[in-house]
Amino acid sequence: MGNRAYNFNAGPAALPMEVLQKAQEELVEFQGIGMSIMEISHRSAHYEQVHEETQQLLKELYDIPSGYQIQFLQGGASTQFAMIPMNFLKPGKVGSYVLTGAWAEKAVKEAQLFGETSIAASSEAFKFMKIPALSEIQPDPNSAYLHITSNETIEGAQFQAYPETGSLPLIADMSSDILSRQVDVSKFSLIYAGAQKNLGPSGVTVAIIKEEMLQDLPKNIPTMLRYDIHGKNNSLYNTPPVYSIYMVNLVLKWLKEQGGLAVVEKRNREKTSLIYGTIDQSGGFYRGPVDKDSRSIMNITFRLQDEELEKRFVKESEQNGFVGLKGHRSVGGLRASTYNAVPYESCKALADFMADFQRRNG
Ligand SMILES: *Cc1c(COP(=O)(O)O)cnc(C)c1O
């Protein structure tokens, strides 16, 4: 890995070394055209090929059935928090949300600006240290949709299975765990993710949307915030974030080369079990605050006995080449984000460092 850091950043986050090298190779001259991909029209054949191939790769990797569209949007996942109620929360209907942590809270708050909302289940009483049981999730009978946050990046809790909603559209924020494991996409009417955790660099938000969701949207929504406009124009209504989409293209090709999602999921579980294993075998030196049944395979949160020791852990980890292990400022503690691009070797090095730190401080 040369002088590459052990990168556990939460987002933007690690990208595969091979992807960065390929991008570097193609930066000045893309496929022999005498220009960078950033210097050509988004309506050119060369760009169009990248755009469509990226959609195709995503369909293939996620086994997306027909009847879905892949959209490339801007404004991050945070803009989706507003676009969802603007497009789908019609008067007289209710937007139902499962409250699982900081990101779910932001999604609900945005929906409250546009209409009535309801909390279908919440783990707030447990400080969001678990995902509610599927049987506890009760969407309002008058719901327009049920919104879930597949993985709470800050707390480190992740849905292990998804609710069955029948004909009620299920919408998921998968910003921090998209393509980390196999998912039955057909259960969802909309899956969205900001790219900068598990898909590529920031600047593009991927939406996987069921075509039937694009019918009869309210007339008074601004053009750029309409899923139907982006759908009709294949995400080329205006200039898309060309370079970010190109980088997502390279990441998807890399995932395919790894052997697809079954292999990637297995590796993610191996990576995280190294670190969770170290926590569980530490005799209480390290503490995983999240319920074992809800532990995330993307963001591992853990604590030490006191904040002084946590500060020392962060400082010493940095001296040893680890980056991004400080927990989110809102919850404190420590967090290792182990996205797809974080190599097994980085996780092994972290588990070893944790064991050594315990020997010296336990
Ligand atoms: C990072 C994150 C967001 C916010 O993403 P932006 O692209 O910065 O708006 C939303 N939801 C989840 C689960 C996240 O991890």
Side-chain angles (χ1 to χ4, degrees):
M1 290 216 297
N3 55 359
R4 295 271 294 163
Y6 295 125
N7 184 352
F8 290 96
N9 279 325
L15 288 165
M17 183 67 171
E18 297 89 330
V19 165
L20 293 172
Q21 283 168 335
K22 178 77 177 164
Q24 183 181 44
E25 231 172 74
E26 293 187 330
L27 181 68
V28 174
E29 188 177 356
F30 179 70
Q31 295 179 2
I33 61 173
M35 295 169 282
S36 157
I37 186 143
M38 286 179 277
E39 302 175 289
I40 62 175
S41 168
H42 57 291
R43 311 215 181 268
S44 65
H46 276 102
Y47 174 69
E48 231 167 52
Q49 196 270 335
V50 171
H51 194 88
E52 277 161 25
E53 186 183 55
T54 309
Q55 293 168 323
Q56 199 45 48
L57 283 162
L58 200 57
K59 283 188 177 164
E60 213 179 299
L61 278 161
Y62 237 177
D63 204 8
I64 300 175
S66 62
Y68 284 80
Q69 263 186 5
I70 314 280
Q71 299 191 355
F72 301 125
L73 308 172
Q74 297 190 62
S78 300
T79 298
Q80 295 304 294
F81 296 165
M83 269 176 76
I84 289 160
M86 285 173 104
N87 283 268
F88 307 129
L89 185 46
K90 299 195 174 137
K93 288 293 208 176
V94 177
S96 285
Y97 286 77
V98 182
L99 204 57
T100 43
W103 289 116
E105 274 184 326
K106 287 200 169 160
V108 185
K109 221 169 140 199
E110 220 49 15
Q112 287 166 344
L113 297 171
F114 296 98
E116 202 185 323
T117 59
S118 156
I119 302 303
S122 170
S123 53
E124 194 174 9
F126 302 91
K127 297 200 163 106
F128 300 128
M129 291 299 131
K130 65 175 199 169
I131 298 291
L134 296 186
S135 58
E136 288 168 23
I137 300 174
Q138 306 281 346
D140 187 286
N142 202 22
S143 291
Y145 56 80
L146 176 69
H147 179 284
I148 64 168
T149 309
S150 176
N151 182 63
E152 286 284 0
T153 322
I154 291 174
E155 291 82 359
Q158 185 177 30
F159 277 82
Q160 310 296 313
Y162 295 113
E164 295 289 344
T165 57
S167 60
L168 177 65
L170 179 60
I171 297 180
D173 176 0
M174 291 197 192
S175 293
S176 52
D177 70 350
I178 191 165
L179 297 179
S180 66
R181 56 183 178 183
Q182 290 175 297
V183 162
D184 180 0
V185 173
S186 72
K187 282 190 169 180
F188 297 87
S189 291
L190 170 59
I191 291 171
Y192 65 94
Q196 68 273 19
K197 278 123 189 181
N198 221 15
L199 280 180
S202 63
V204 63
T205 305
V206 170
I208 303 167
I209 187 165
K210 216 175 203 171
E211 276 159 11
E212 62 194 42
M213 295 293 279
L214 305 175
Q215 308 297 319
D216 303 322
L217 300 183
K219 301 262 181 295
N220 60 348
I221 308 170
T223 310
M224 278 298 290
L225 300 176
R226 304 185 66 96
Y227 292 106
D228 55 358
I229 291 285
H230 290 294
K232 268 186 212 124
N233 292 280
N234 192 21
S235 304
L236 289 160
Y237 173 78
N238 75 328
T239 319
V242 164
Y243 200 73
S244 297
I245 294 167
Y246 159 77
M247 287 294 288
V248 170
N249 178 287
L250 296 186
V251 170
L252 297 178
K253 280 183 185 147
W254 177 82
L255 284 173
K256 204 174 147 178
E257 279 161 22
Q258 302 301 299
L261 290 199
V263 174
V264 166
E265 174 172 356
K266 184 166 169 281
R267 191 163 307 151
N268 284 334
R269 294 194 186 283
E270 287 164 2
K271 279 155 55 182
T272 44
S273 67
L274 279 175
I275 299 166
Y276 281 126
T278 305
I279 293 169
D280 293 341
Q281 286 149 30
S282 70
F285 183 78
Y286 296 105
R287 202 162 38 79
V290 174
D291 244 41
K292 281 191 181 169
D293 296 342
S294 301
R295 279 176 165 178
S296 169
I297 58 162
M298 294 277 98
N299 308 98
I300 302 173
T301 50
F302 56 103
R303 310 274 340 207
L304 287 162
Q305 283 91 331
D306 58 66
E307 288 183 18
E308 270 318 302
L309 201 53
E310 288 174 348
K311 270 193 196 140
R312 191 187 308 167
F313 182 96
V314 172
K315 192 166 162 240
E316 286 190 21
S317 72
E318 285 168 354
Q319 289 163 349
N320 284 275
F322 296 92
V323 175
L325 292 171
K326 196 166 182 284
H328 190 269
R329 58 191 182 281
S330 63
V331 294
L334 303 156
R335 171 176 56 174
S337 297
T338 53
Y339 300 121
N340 287 346
V342 174
Y344 182 88
E345 293 69 33
S346 293
C347 297
K348 180 77 176 76
L350 176 57
D352 291 346
F353 171 79
M354 287 170 72
D356 185 54
F357 186 84
Q358 180 175 1
R359 269 194 294 280
R360 288 182 286 106
N361 296 278

